[in-house]
Amino acid sequence: MLKDRGIPVTSKVLALGVGVALTGALVLLEVPFEFLVGLLVPVVGLGADVAIDGVEALIMPVVFACMVLPRLHPRAFEVSS
């Protein structure tokens, strides 16, 4: 969907911005749990936290953008018969 040339760039950027915002909200909701894991398992918890947050920061905005884009630009995804 993000590679489709029929969809305006502004819709794609808006969808990616929504994805970044949703990812930020998800990370903020995870902070209390990550704090507890960091206290209980200090060394392994920190390494796992950094690795998971890095993956979330790279992948989740694109996943959310792909989920939001059909709702922002629905005419590009209509099936004509």
Side-chain angles (χ1 to χ4, degrees):
M1 287 186 241
L2 294 173
K3 289 184 175 182
D4 188 4
R5 293 181 187 261
I7 300 174
V9 174
T10 54
S11 294
K12 295 176 188 179
V13 171
L14 180 62
L16 194 56
V18 170
V20 168
L22 288 174
T23 301
L26 182 66
V27 168
L28 285 177
L29 289 173
E30 292 175 353
V31 167
F33 176 71
E34 290 175 353
F35 179 72
L36 288 175
V37 170
L39 285 178
L40 295 174
V41 190
V43 177
V44 178
L46 179 64
D49 182 37
V50 169
I52 290 173
D53 281 345
V55 170
E56 282 180 352
L58 294 175
I59 295 175
M60 293 304 288
V62 176
V63 170
F64 285 138
C66 288
M67 291 173 18
V68 170
L69 191 57
R71 282 139 185 94
L72 290 176
H73 198 74
R75 285 189 278 162
F77 301 103
E78 288 181 359
V79 177
S80 59
S81 47

